[in-house]
């Protein structure tokens, strides 16, 4: 079976993969051996005029009613799935008044 060309090809592929993984591990160890701050990939040194205040303002506007909307959708779903006898669908839920 050692003379099988397919087996030799698979063995060579496994050896190449092991060598590739060894090279990646060596790179990782080299990077980890250096201490200090590291820039994010793709964003290193990039200048932007976008301020975090803009993010906060946009989020406050876009997501202002998320909690209320989510609660309303949840209540609609509970009402739709609740049994018709007035009891709550779950035991930890308060019965309707």
């Amino acid at each position: 079976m050692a003379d099988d060309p397919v087996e030799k090809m698979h063995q060579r592929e496994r050896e190449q993969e092991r060598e590739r993984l060894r090279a990646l591990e060596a790179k990782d160890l080299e990077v980890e051996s250096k201490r200090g701050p590291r820039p994010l990939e793709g964003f290193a040194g990039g200048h932007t005029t976008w301020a975090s205040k803009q993010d906060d303002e946009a989020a406050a506007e876009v997501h202002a009613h998320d909690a209320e909307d989510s609660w309303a959708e949840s209540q609609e779903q509970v009402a739709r799935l609740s049994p018709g006898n007035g009891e709550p669908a779950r035991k930890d839920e308060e019965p309707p008044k």
Side-chain angles (χ1 to χ4, degrees):
M1 192 161 181
D3 295 329
D4 184 16
V6 174
E7 181 62 32
K8 285 183 179 180
M9 182 181 69
H10 289 302
Q11 181 64 27
R12 186 172 60 247
E13 288 173 352
R14 286 190 293 267
E15 288 173 6
Q16 289 173 344
E17 181 66 11
R18 280 194 295 267
E19 184 57 38
R20 186 184 70 80
L21 292 174
R22 279 189 206 106
L24 289 176
E25 179 69 17
K27 286 181 186 177
D28 288 344
L29 291 173
E30 180 183 339
V31 168
E32 291 300 321
S33 69
K34 298 176 185 170
R35 296 195 179 264
R38 298 183 186 135
L40 294 173
E41 290 183 23
F43 296 103
H47 177 71
T48 180
T49 57
W50 191 264
S52 63
K53 183 179 176 192
Q54 288 171 299
D55 270 340
D56 296 340
E57 289 171 357
E61 192 174 308
V62 171
H63 302 291
H65 302 288
D66 283 359
E68 295 89 359
D69 295 344
S70 177
W71 180 254
E73 287 178 28
S74 177
Q75 292 301 315
E76 289 173 14
Q77 183 180 22
V78 167
R80 193 174 60 246
L81 299 175
S82 291
N85 58 8
E87 293 182 13
R90 297 183 345 213
K91 292 185 185 349
D92 62 343
E93 198 176 299
E94 292 184 24
K97 294 178 182 172

